[in-house]
Amino acid sequence: MAEHPKDPYAGSTPKIHKSSPNKSGLYHLEHLPLFLSRQEPEFAAIFEAVDALPIDDTHCHVITDQDAITTPKRYLERISLAGMPMAAYFPKGVYAEWLNGDEARRHDLNRIHNIQGKVDAVTGDISQGIFIKFLVKEMAQFLGCEATLEAVIEARNDRGTTGRM
C-alpha cells in the first residue's frame, strides 16, 4: 500500500474572513466564514486567488439588457439551462406570441401547447435548488433587500429602470 505524504494544510482553517468589501467594493463576505471554514484548504487558496481577480466570468447564463425588468418566474426560466431554449419546445414563434399576447391569446396557445405547464416544470425544479437559494441570498445582500426571490427581483427591477445594473 502506497504511503501518501501528510497534507501540510491538514487541520488548518481557511484565512478568508473578510469583514470589509473586496477590491471591487461590491462583495461583503462576512457571511461566508462558516461555509469557508468547512472547506478544504485548497478551496480557500483557490477562493482567495479568484476573489483577487478583477473579474470572474467563469459561469454565465443568458441574462441581457432585455431582462432588465422581469418577473420571478421569467428570471428562473432565463437562468435555467432547461429554460434558455424555451422557444424551441414549441413551433416557431408560438412561445414569443404567448409571452407577448393578451390574456385570450395566451389562453388559446396554452390550451393547444401546454406552454404554462412546461414553464412551470422548468421553473419549479430550479426554484427549489441550492443554487437559487444561494443566489437569492447573495443578491439580496448586494441589493440590500429581503432574501426572497420576489424581493430580489423587485430590487433588481428597480435598478433596471434606472440603468444601475
Side-chain angles (χ1 to χ4, degrees):
M1 177 178 248
E3 191 173 315
H4 298 286
K6 180 164 174 49
D7 181 353
Y9 298 106
S12 66
T13 58
K15 297 176 184 168
I16 310 169
H17 296 278
K18 296 187 177 191
S19 59
S20 61
N22 68 5
K23 292 177 185 175
S24 70
L26 297 177
Y27 301 101
H28 302 280
L29 303 177
E30 57 269 359
H31 63 288
L32 291 179
L34 180 60
F35 168 76
L36 295 171
S37 68
R38 295 180 178 156
Q39 303 305 311
E40 295 295 323
E42 292 82 8
F43 173 85
I46 292 168
F47 187 91
E48 286 178 346
V50 170
D51 190 48
L53 294 173
I55 187 166
D56 174 22
D57 191 17
T58 58
H59 187 101
C60 293
H61 288 245
V62 184
I63 301 292
T64 69
D65 59 345
Q66 295 176 1
D67 298 297
I69 307 299
T70 190
T71 65
K73 189 167 287 255
R74 182 81 172 128
Y75 185 81
L76 290 172
E77 176 190 325
R78 294 288 286 153
I79 65 170
S80 166
L81 292 175
M84 283 191 286
M86 189 62 76
Y89 296 145
F90 310 102
K92 186 173 182 151
V94 167
Y95 186 64
E97 188 177 349
W98 181 79
L99 280 175
N100 300 312
D102 62 18
E103 188 175 337
R105 185 63 182 143
R106 288 173 61 96
H107 178 270
D108 290 344
L109 289 170
N110 194 54
R111 186 174 36 81
I112 297 165
H113 300 285
N114 188 27
I115 298 169
Q116 189 63 59
K118 289 178 177 69
V119 169
D120 289 346
V122 167
T123 60
D125 289 342
I126 193 172
S127 70
Q128 299 306 308
I130 191 73
F131 167 71
I132 293 300
K133 292 176 187 305
F134 186 76
L135 177 67
V136 166
K137 185 181 83 166
E138 292 296 305
M139 287 181 70
Q141 183 178 17
F142 176 77
L143 295 168
C145 66
E146 184 182 348
T148 65
L149 180 61
E150 292 74 18
V152 164
I153 296 302
E154 182 178 343
R156 186 183 173 282
N157 285 347
D158 288 345
R159 285 181 170 231
T161 60
T162 62
R164 297 181 314 138
M165 293 302 270

